[in-house]
Each structure stands twice: as C-alpha cells, then as structure tokens.
Amino acid sequence: MQQRITKQFLDQIDPHPSKDQFFFDPGLAGFGVKVTPTGRRSFIVNARIKGRHPKRVTIGQYPDWQVTEARDKALAILKKLREGIDPIQQEKALREKAYRAASHEKALQVSLGQIVEQFLTARELKPKTQYDYLNTIKNCFSDWYDRPIRSITRRDVEEKFRYIQAHNRRSKTDNGRSQARKSMIIL
C-alpha cells in the first residue's frame, strides 16, 4: 500500500490481527514500514540488488528510529543496492572481520603462564612430570611467565638457551647444555 510515511501516520496505524502489513512511501521508492499483528512498526527497504534478486533490509523499529533518520538510512541502503552491494552481507562481513580481529588481539595477549596452565590441565601427566615441567618453566623462564606468548621471538629463545647454558654449569665437565636442552624441550 502506498502511503506517505510520517510520525503521525505511524502513530495512527492499526495492526491487522493476523498478518503483517506493508506500507511504502511514494516519495522514496523502496522505503516502507512493516507493521506486525502485535503492533511492532519496523522501517524497511525493499529493492532489487543490481543484477540480482530482490532484497528486504530492516532498518530499525519505530520509535527507536525516527522517520527522518530511517529515511536517510534508507537512501544509503538504496545507493548500495544500486551499486550491487548487499548491505546485509556487508554488515555480516564487517561483524566477522571485527570478531576475527578481536579474537586475534585476544590470542596475542595470552601469556606463557596461561599456556603452561592450559597445557598442564589438558594433559594427564604424572605428578612428578607435572612438577618437573612447572619447576623448569618457573626457574628458567620466570621473566617470561607473564609475557604475551606472541611477543617471544626466535632470537629471545636462542639468547635464553645460551643464558641457561652459561648459568647452569655444575662442574668443569658439565657445560650446562643438558639443562638448556631440557628447558627448551619443555618450552
């Protein structure tokens, strides 16, 4: 049904008791209002994506969205549809991208200590083995325990290997290499 969409019109609409009603504004092709049997009024855009199928995009509900805001948003959506852009898919892609970026950022902040705790929880290790792993990590990598795992570089590991080797000599025959190797295996 064609009807100029105004605040006054939206306030006066009586919902049909059993089906959705659609009212489209003759001043802006494709811009309309969907009225449900419960009385919910939603601004919509109903148009064809260039070269593809028709699409209905919900803008928002009245009175959360005012008529002028909804009309401006409808113009932007109609422009995208004419350019062949599906605004629903575009929004979905933006949400997924934001989610991936947030997940990536969260992953970059996981510390060595958290990884160790997860590892020990996930594996069924003998108590002595678990103690040995945790003791080695805390003794050899205590300065890295709260450090984000992604910030530990290959160069850091090589330098730590040399440091552990140099500072864990027990005798003239022991060059500390065994402790350094063990710590790197556990790491």
Side-chain angles (χ1 to χ4, degrees):
M1 175 185 270
Q2 296 281 324
Q3 173 64 45
R4 175 97 175 125
I5 297 173
T6 62
K7 181 182 180 340
Q8 182 181 3
F9 171 72
L10 291 171
D11 291 335
Q12 293 175 354
I13 298 174
D14 288 327
H16 191 278
S18 62
K19 65 179 184 176
D20 293 341
Q21 295 174 294
F22 294 91
F23 300 95
F24 290 95
D25 193 322
L28 180 58
F31 174 60
V33 174
K34 174 183 170 183
V35 182
T36 65
T38 61
R40 181 186 302 170
R41 295 153 174 82
S42 300
F43 294 107
I44 60 169
V45 172
N46 205 26
R48 182 176 295 278
I49 298 174
K50 181 182 176 183
R52 289 191 266 162
H53 55 281
K55 194 78 168 175
R56 179 177 298 149
V57 180
T58 303
I59 296 171
Q61 292 183 16
Y62 176 79
D64 296 341
W65 282 73
Q66 294 302 311
V67 177
T68 53
E69 293 173 317
R71 195 178 305 274
D72 292 342
K73 181 74 173 178
L75 280 168
I77 291 171
L78 286 166
K79 181 180 178 192
K80 286 181 182 181
L81 290 170
R82 281 192 295 271
E83 293 171 354
I85 299 169
D86 184 344
I88 294 173
Q89 292 297 338
Q90 188 179 39
E91 285 277 327
K92 184 178 176 182
L94 287 173
R95 278 193 310 273
E96 287 175 3
K97 184 177 180 182
Y99 175 76
R100 281 193 309 272
S103 296
H104 181 70
E105 187 61 33
K106 185 178 176 183
L108 292 177
Q109 299 307 316
V110 175
S111 70
L112 175 63
Q114 290 170 312
I115 297 289
V116 169
E117 305 277 327
Q118 289 172 3
F119 175 81
L120 294 175
T121 304
R123 300 278 198 280
E124 290 186 24
L125 301 172
K126 293 179 182 176
K128 186 177 182 322
T129 304
Q130 194 168 8
Y131 172 80
D132 191 33
Y133 282 6
L134 199 53
N135 192 39
T136 300
I137 292 289
K138 287 193 175 179
N139 286 333
C140 297
F141 305 104
S142 60
D143 55 332
W144 289 1
Y145 204 75
D146 294 324
R147 188 171 166 186
I149 195 81
R150 293 295 216 144
S151 70
I152 300 171
T153 65
R154 177 183 214 103
R155 185 175 185 174
D156 292 336
V157 173
E158 290 169 354
E159 288 174 3
K160 183 63 83 171
F161 177 84
R162 286 190 289 278
Y163 176 83
I164 294 168
Q165 184 177 348
H167 288 83
N168 283 298
R169 293 186 178 170
R170 294 189 188 111
S171 65
K172 290 182 180 182
T173 57
D174 180 11
N175 61 7
R177 182 167 244 152
S178 60
Q179 179 65 33
R181 282 183 184 159
K182 176 185 172 186
S183 65
M184 291 302 142
I185 289 170
I186 292 174
L187 179 65

